[in-house]
Amino acid sequence: MDPMIWVIDDDASIRFVFDKALDVNSITHRLFENGEQALEALKTEIPDVIVSDIRMPGIDGLSLINKVHAVDDTIPFIIITAHSDLTAAIDSYEHGTFEYLPKPFDIEQAIALIRRAAVHRVNQLKKKNQDQSKENALPTSEEAEIIGKSPAMQEVFKFIGRVSKTDVPVLIHGETGTGRELVAKAMHNHSERKDKAFISLNMSSLPHEMIEMEMFGAADKNDEPAAIEQAEGGTLFINEICDMPMEVQTRLLQVLQNSHYLPIGSNKPIACNVRVVAATSRPLEDLVEQGSFIPDLFYRLNVIHINMPPLRDRNNDIPMLAKHFLNQSALENNQEPKKLTSEVLVFLCRQPWPGNVRQLKNLCKYLTIMVTGRDIQLTDLPAEFLNSNRARQQSTATSITGNVKEPTSWQEQLRNWVDGRLKAGEVDILSEATPEFERVMLEAALDFTGNHKQESAKLLGWGRNTLTRKIKELNISRR
C-alpha cells in the first residue's frame, strides 16, 4: 500500500513545489493551508507522514504534533523551519518530530526525507503490533522468553498446554540454560494453581546439608517457612533433582505417595497440597541403575516427561531469540535496540551454544552495553566467543576438497543476507536492501571513473539527472 503524505503550509508556493515534486515521484499526497483543515481531515483519514510549517496562522506546527499524536503517535512529522525558528525546531524533537527541514531546502532531499519517514512509520506500526501481540499473548515476562517456532519447541508448547490443567508430576529433562524453569512457570501460570505460590529450589546451588531443612523445615524452627510450606496450594519446582541427597529423596517420595511430609525431628505428618515439577540435566534412569536415585521416586516423577531441546538443535529459533533479548536489554538499559547484521546471524546459527539460551541472552546483554553503533558486526562479538568458535566454524565450512567453502557468487551472498533478515522476522526488507544496493553500485562506478558523473551514469545505464538525484537521496559525499 502506497504511503499517504500530508503537506501543511500557509505558503501557496511551498504547497505548489511539494505538489509537483510528489506527483513526479508518484507519491500520494494531500495539501492543507492550515492545521485546522488537517485536524478535520484526521477524523476520517490517517496519513503516513506529515510535512508541516512550524509557524502558521491558527494552530502552529508544535501544537499540531501534540494533537495528531493524541490520535496516532506513530505518524512521523517533518517540520519546515526558517533559520530564526531553528532552536524551536530542535526543541520540537521533544514533541515527537521525526526530522526538521530548514529553509531554503532542496526538494529532492525533502522527497528522500519523506521516503525515510514513510519507512519509519511502517517499522513503528510493526513494532507496536508486535508489542501488542506479546502483551495479549503472554501475561508474564518469563513466559515471553519461551520463544520458538522450531518443531522441537512446538512439541514443548503442546506438552505445556496438555498438562497445565492437571496435577500430575512432571519431569523436565534438558541441558542447563535451555529454559526448564520457564517451562515450569508457564505450566504453573496456566494451571488452576496460578493464584498460589511458585517456589523454586535448585539442588545444585544449595549446600547438601541444607537441602533437607530448606525443603521440609524442622519441628523446632518457627522462623522461615520451609519451601513445601510456602508452596502450599501452588507448585514446587525442584531444579537439578539429580543432585538431591538420598535422605531428601525419601521425604519427597512420601509427599508424592501420601500428600504429607515430616519436618526434621518430628513424627507428626503435616498434610500438604502441592504440585511437584522437577528438572534434571542428567538421565535419572542412569542414576537409578547406579543406586544413587530411588526407583520409586523416579517412577512417581516420570509420569509426564518433557524434553527441552538444546539451542544447537533449534538454531532456526536463534534470530527470533536474539531479537527478543536485544530488545529486552535495550529496554532495561534505556537504549535503542541493537540489530544483528546478516553475517552475524549466520555465524550465530552455526555455533554449538554449550550454555544454550542463557548464553545467547548474556551475549545480547553484552552487545547492548558494549557496541556503540546500532548495527552489530561480526567484529563486535567478544574475542573469547570468536576464538572459541573459530575452529568449529572453519571445520563446518570445509568442503570435500579441504578448501574453505565461501559463497560462490554475489547472488549467493545476497541470498544469505535475505535468509538472515527473514529469520529475524523482519518485513519490508526491500526498503532496506534497494538503497544499499544502489549505493554500492553508484560508489563503485564513481570510484572507477574518478568521480566522473556522466561516465558513471553511462556505465550504470542511468541518465545524468538520475545519477545526480540518487547521489542526493543516498547522501553520498563526492567532490
Side-chain angles (χ1 to χ4, degrees):
M1 185 176 176
D2 293 334
M4 166 61 78
I5 313 301
W6 284 6
V7 177
I8 309 167
D9 201 306
D10 60 313
D11 188 331
S13 62
I14 296 291
R15 296 198 305 273
F16 176 82
V17 169
F18 272 106
D19 187 32
K20 295 303 179 186
L22 292 167
D23 274 341
V24 167
N25 286 273
S26 301
I27 298 175
T28 308
H29 61 280
R30 291 186 64 181
L31 307 173
F32 301 92
E33 293 183 19
N34 53 60
E36 286 78 7
Q37 290 179 355
L39 290 175
E40 185 63 29
L42 194 65
K43 295 177 181 178
T44 57
E45 183 182 358
I46 299 295
D48 294 293
V49 179
I50 293 179
V51 181
S52 174
D53 194 1
I54 195 170
R55 299 197 184 278
M56 299 178 290
I59 185 170
D60 63 86
L62 299 187
S63 300
L64 184 62
I65 292 175
N66 293 334
K67 291 182 180 295
V68 170
H69 281 177
V71 177
D72 189 332
D73 61 0
T74 67
I75 300 173
F77 263 79
I78 298 172
I79 290 293
I80 302 173
T81 173
H83 179 73
S84 59
D85 298 323
L86 195 55
T87 301
I90 294 172
D91 291 342
S92 71
Y93 280 118
E94 297 180 3
H95 295 256
T97 300
F98 175 74
E99 189 59 272
Y100 62 88
L101 197 62
K103 297 177 182 177
F105 53 84
D106 184 291
I107 190 60
E108 291 192 356
Q109 287 184 342
I111 296 299
L113 187 56
I114 288 171
R115 292 188 190 277
R116 274 178 42 212
V119 172
H120 177 77
R121 156 88 163 157
V122 170
N123 292 334
Q124 287 292 98
L125 288 174
K126 181 177 70 173
K127 183 178 183 300
K128 196 170 187 177
N129 290 336
Q130 289 173 343
D131 292 344
Q132 188 63 46
S133 297
K134 288 179 182 178
E135 210 172 282
N136 294 337
L138 296 171
T140 67
S141 60
E142 290 86 357
E143 290 179 30
E145 292 183 20
I146 308 178
I147 294 170
K149 292 183 178 180
S150 62
M153 287 307 296
Q154 293 305 309
E155 286 300 312
V156 172
F157 296 150
K158 286 180 185 176
F159 269 110
I160 293 173
R162 288 170 183 165
V163 305
S164 290
K165 301 300 181 184
T166 73
D167 274 341
V168 296
V170 175
L171 182 61
I172 305 171
H173 182 270
E175 298 175 7
T176 299
T178 52
R180 297 169 302 182
E181 184 166 353
L182 295 178
V183 170
K185 283 186 178 181
M187 286 190 290
H188 173 79
N189 290 334
H190 288 90
S191 74
E192 301 299 326
R193 299 174 177 268
K194 63 184 178 182
D195 294 329
K196 301 295 183 178
F198 176 90
I199 302 299
S200 174
L201 282 179
N202 192 319
M203 299 296 100
S204 64
S205 63
L206 289 170
H208 269 213
E209 64 274 12
M210 294 295 298
I211 290 177
E212 193 172 14
M213 178 72 73
E214 287 288 332
M215 282 193 67
F216 300 106
D220 58 347
K221 295 285 185 180
N222 298 314
D223 44 5
E224 184 69 25
I228 196 165
E229 186 180 350
Q230 295 178 57
E232 177 64 24
T235 301
L236 178 63
F237 174 61
I238 306 171
N239 205 352
E240 294 296 10
I241 197 169
C242 50
D243 292 328
M244 178 178 278
M246 291 289 282
E247 61 271 19
V248 185
Q249 293 179 33
T250 302
R251 289 181 179 274
L252 180 60
L253 182 58
Q254 288 180 335
V255 172
L256 295 176
Q257 287 177 331
N258 307 314
S259 296
H260 70 249
Y261 68 97
L262 286 171
I264 298 172
S266 172
N267 57 8
K268 182 180 178 181
I270 298 175
C272 62
N273 172 25
V274 296
R275 184 190 191 175
V276 175
V277 178
T280 176
S281 59
R282 290 184 285 161
L284 295 187
E285 299 96 320
D286 294 348
L287 300 183
V288 169
E289 289 183 8
Q290 296 166 14
S292 59
F293 203 89
I294 299 174
D296 282 354
L297 178 58
F298 167 67
Y299 297 129
R300 288 277 181 176
L301 289 171
N302 200 38
V303 178
I304 300 293
H305 184 100
I306 297 179
N307 188 47
M308 291 298 295
L311 187 57
R312 61 183 173 275
D313 289 348
R314 47 180 288 228
N315 59 3
N316 55 332
D317 287 335
I318 288 175
M320 190 188 315
L321 284 162
K323 185 174 182 180
H324 168 74
F325 291 141
L326 286 171
N327 288 340
Q328 186 182 64
S329 298
L331 188 63
E332 291 171 356
N333 292 280
N334 195 28
Q335 295 184 19
E336 284 295 314
K338 301 285 194 301
K339 180 180 174 184
L340 299 175
T341 62
S342 299
E343 183 184 24
V344 174
L345 279 174
V346 170
F347 178 84
L348 295 183
C349 288
R350 292 174 176 169
Q351 304 316 307
W353 296 106
N356 292 294
V357 178
R358 185 180 300 146
Q359 184 185 6
L360 177 60
K361 182 177 182 178
N362 290 338
L363 175 65
C364 291
K365 287 183 177 180
Y366 168 91
L367 293 171
T368 297
I369 295 170
M370 300 303 295
V371 176
T372 54
R374 182 175 182 272
D375 292 337
I376 297 171
Q377 309 294 334
L378 199 57
T379 52
D380 291 323
L381 296 178
E384 61 272 19
F385 186 90
L386 289 169
N387 293 336
S388 64
N389 289 283
R390 184 168 288 121
R392 180 180 181 276
Q393 183 190 30
Q394 290 176 346
S395 65
T396 56
T398 302
S399 66
I400 296 175
T401 62
N403 297 321
V404 176
K405 188 178 180 181
E406 298 290 345
T408 57
S409 65
W410 67 268
Q411 291 96 332
E412 187 175 343
Q413 295 182 49
L414 178 61
R415 176 58 186 264
N416 288 341
W417 182 88
V418 174
D419 286 344
R421 299 268 65 84
L422 293 176
K423 285 180 179 178
E426 296 191 10
V427 298
D428 195 30
I429 57 177
L430 273 177
S431 66
E432 177 183 357
T434 302
E436 291 305 312
F437 177 79
E438 291 180 341
R439 181 191 303 278
V440 170
M441 298 286 286
L442 206 161
E443 289 182 340
L446 289 170
D447 288 340
F448 184 77
T449 63
N451 293 328
H452 194 287
K453 293 182 180 179
Q454 186 157 343
E455 187 64 24
S456 297
K458 181 179 178 181
L459 292 173
L460 294 172
W462 283 344
R464 169 66 184 268
N465 291 341
T466 300
L467 182 134
T468 302
R469 175 167 57 83
K470 290 292 184 181
I471 289 176
K472 290 181 178 178
E473 283 182 4
L474 300 172
N475 197 25
I476 295 175
S477 178
R478 293 281 167 160
R479 291 184 179 179

